[in-house]
Amino acid sequence: FPYVLKLLQSSARELRPLLVSIWAKILAVDTSCQTDLIRDSSHKYFLSVLQDDCMMPNHRTWAAFILATIVHNYRQGQQEAEQGNLISIALEHLDDGEPVLRQWLAIALGRVWDSYEPARWRGARNNAHEKLYELLKDPVPEVRAAAVFALGTVINSCEERTEHANNLDHNIALNLLNTVSEDGSPLVRQELVVALQYIVLAFESNFVNVKRQAMEEEERHR
């Protein structure tokens, strides 16, 4: 394990396919290795692989999976990846022809800003939500579901409720409802329910008031 970790310091391009394959398999069964990768700044290796257009699509997909795993529920990983420009790099490749790569890029985006507001606003400055809206029309349902997930975690990452923050979240919720509420894939609709729960939690008092008014109106009609 220390040897495979040390190999990430190598600049040899011929090792890249082998190393992303090995690390994808390691992280698939042991996500705790994310701490080792961040401690050694080895996440930068996978960022460089992701940007390398000479790499095969499946190798770049593995790199996207690794980065998505490094930032998953790990604040230090989110911080390092955000500062390493994961968001702008992922957004740049969202229109890639490989659907599994598009899927894992969207998942990586959703995880890097989930409950982490600095990454949310970096994404907003890069128009991440606008670019993810395009994936809601993707022909592959798994890609659409990943885009819904990423948009939902944008809402979940807001800590300070300002007018600008509220407008962004309302815009996302309306786009999700208008675009995928009748999606033919149960997976996409399931992710939509998860995403909408964040709106309900964020504006719970508003929903309660609307429901109370509706009940009072119904009672008056009776």
Side-chain angles (χ1 to χ4, degrees), residues 52-114:
D52 189 349
D53 292 330
C54 295
M55 297 289 290
M56 294 286 289
N58 61 320
H59 298 149
R60 291 167 58 230
T61 301
W62 291 340
F65 165 76
I66 291 166
L67 290 162
T69 307
I70 287 173
V71 300
H72 187 40
N73 291 330
Y74 184 42
R75 177 54 55 88
Q76 190 177 347
Q78 290 174 303
Q79 292 170 343
E80 293 292 335
E82 184 239 332
Q83 292 166 13
N85 290 324
L86 170 59
I87 292 172
S88 58
I89 293 168
L91 291 173
E92 185 181 340
H93 294 88
L94 271 186
D95 59 352
D96 193 273
E98 175 57 47
V100 185
L101 176 56
R102 297 197 301 273
Q103 175 188 344
W104 276 104
L105 287 173
I107 292 172
L109 286 169
R111 287 179 174 178
V112 77
W113 57 51
D114 188 19

Side-chain angles (χ1 to χ4, degrees), residues 12-194:
R13 291 176 60 83
E14 63 271 17
L15 285 178
R16 285 185 168 187
L18 181 62
L19 287 173
V20 291
S21 172
I22 290 171
W23 277 104
K25 291 170 182 175
I26 289 173
L27 288 167
V29 295
D30 185 6
T31 57
S32 68
C33 294
Q34 61 189 176
T35 57
D36 298 289
L37 292 170
I38 290 296
R39 186 183 62 242
D40 289 5
S41 296
S42 297
H43 61 287
K44 296 176 182 177
Y45 185 89
F46 303 108
L47 284 168
S48 65
V49 173
L50 189 57
Q51 295 179 84
D52 189 349
D53 292 330
C54 295
M55 297 289 290
M56 294 286 289
N58 61 320
H59 298 149
R60 291 167 58 230
T61 301
W62 291 340
F65 165 76
I66 291 166
L67 290 162
T69 307
I70 287 173
V71 300
H72 187 40
N73 291 330
Y74 184 42
R75 177 54 55 88
Q76 190 177 347
Q78 290 174 303
Q79 292 170 343
E80 293 292 335
E82 184 239 332
Q83 292 166 13
N85 290 324
L86 170 59
I87 292 172
S88 58
I89 293 168
L91 291 173
E92 185 181 340
H93 294 88
L94 271 186
D95 59 352
D96 193 273
E98 175 57 47
V100 185
L101 176 56
R102 297 197 301 273
Q103 175 188 344
W104 276 104
L105 287 173
I107 292 172
L109 286 169
R111 287 179 174 178
V112 77
W113 57 51
D114 188 19
S115 301
Y116 181 49
E117 195 167 42
R120 165 193 164 99
W121 291 117
R122 182 182 286 264
R125 288 192 295 273
N126 284 275
N127 292 318
H129 53 293
E130 298 284 351
K131 294 171 183 176
L132 286 166
Y133 291 157
E134 294 301 312
L135 290 191
L136 297 178
K137 307 164 193 169
D138 197 277
V140 180
E142 289 81 3
V143 176
R144 298 198 302 275
V148 175
F149 161 76
L151 289 165
T153 54
V154 170
I155 301 169
N156 191 43
S157 62
C158 184
E159 296 175 5
E160 185 179 350
R161 281 282 153 208
T162 62
E163 184 179 357
H164 179 44
N166 291 346
N167 288 339
L168 175 62
D169 291 346
H170 290 162
N171 179 279
I172 290 173
L174 287 173
N175 265 281
L176 287 173
L177 285 167
N178 292 333
T179 309
V180 296
S181 58
E182 297 182 4
D183 195 287
S185 168
L187 178 63
V188 176
R189 299 197 306 274
Q190 175 181 308
E191 288 296 339
L192 175 62
V193 173
V194 175

